[in-house]
């Protein structure tokens, strides 16, 4: 994946991070399919441990995803339709959990991965 597409995904995730808690579910009704794909791709990368996380972050992710693990597995399935993924994300427990996780853990990990060392 090239740097520009990663930067586009980071911009999308930053936009999601700026939303208030009560705006997440409204956003899902209006957002384009590409945004849903970005969220689901992040879920897929978390499950397959493609995102480098330290021990504390892994513990936080595991704790946050355990109650909604079946829904997260469905979201990370590339064969599932966007309509179904949107419906899953509209569930308050799933949507708010995913948005919180993306804002607190995944986004900082992606940004730190792009910074050259």
């Amino acid at each position: 994946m090239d740097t520009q597409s990663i930067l586009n995904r980071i911009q999308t995730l930053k936009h999601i991070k700026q939303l208030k808690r009560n705006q997440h579910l409204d956003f899902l009704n209006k957002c384009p399919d590409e945004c849903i794909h970005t969220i689901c791709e992040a879920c897929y990368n978390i499950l397959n441990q493609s995102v480098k996380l330290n021990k504390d972050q892994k513990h936080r992710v595991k704790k946050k995803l355990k109650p909604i693990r079946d829904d997260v597995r469905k979201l990370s399935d590339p064969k599932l339709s966007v309509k179904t993924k949107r419906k899953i994300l509209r569930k308050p427990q799933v949507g708010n959990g995913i948005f919180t996780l993306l804002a607190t853990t995944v986004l900082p990990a992606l940004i730190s991965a792009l910074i050259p060392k």
Side-chain angles (χ1 to χ4, degrees):
M1 182 178 297
D2 63 342
T3 306
Q4 187 59 40
S5 62
I6 293 173
L7 291 174
N8 290 340
R9 285 173 172 73
I10 289 175
Q11 281 302 112
T12 302
L13 294 174
K14 281 184 179 180
H15 177 71
I16 291 170
K17 181 180 179 181
Q18 293 173 351
L19 296 173
K20 302 276 190 266
R21 186 172 188 92
N22 57 353
Q23 294 175 327
H24 291 157
L25 301 179
D26 293 334
F27 172 74
L28 288 172
N29 292 329
K30 301 172 187 170
C31 72
D33 291 350
E34 188 59 38
C35 185
I36 300 293
H37 286 299
T38 301
I39 294 168
C40 295
E41 182 180 357
C43 291
Y44 177 83
N45 289 333
I46 290 169
L47 290 180
N48 292 324
Q49 299 177 352
S50 300
V51 179
K52 301 290 185 209
L53 302 173
N54 62 33
K55 188 176 181 179
D56 181 49
Q57 289 173 326
K58 284 182 185 179
H59 177 70
R60 194 176 320 138
V61 167
K62 186 176 180 180
K63 185 178 176 182
K64 187 63 102 172
L65 292 182
K66 190 168 185 173
I68 56 172
R69 64 181 169 265
D70 293 333
D71 291 321
V72 174
R73 287 182 186 137
K74 288 178 187 175
L75 288 173
S76 65
D77 183 7
K79 297 175 186 171
L80 206 61
S81 71
V82 175
K83 182 179 177 182
T84 306
K85 290 179 180 184
R86 193 181 301 263
K87 185 177 178 182
I88 292 170
L89 283 169
R90 274 194 230 130
K91 294 179 186 177
Q93 186 177 8
V94 176
N96 289 332
I98 295 294
F99 283 121
T100 302
L101 183 68
L102 291 176
T104 60
T105 307
V106 176
L107 186 59
L110 283 175
I111 291 172
S112 67
L114 281 181
I115 297 173
K117 295 179 181 174

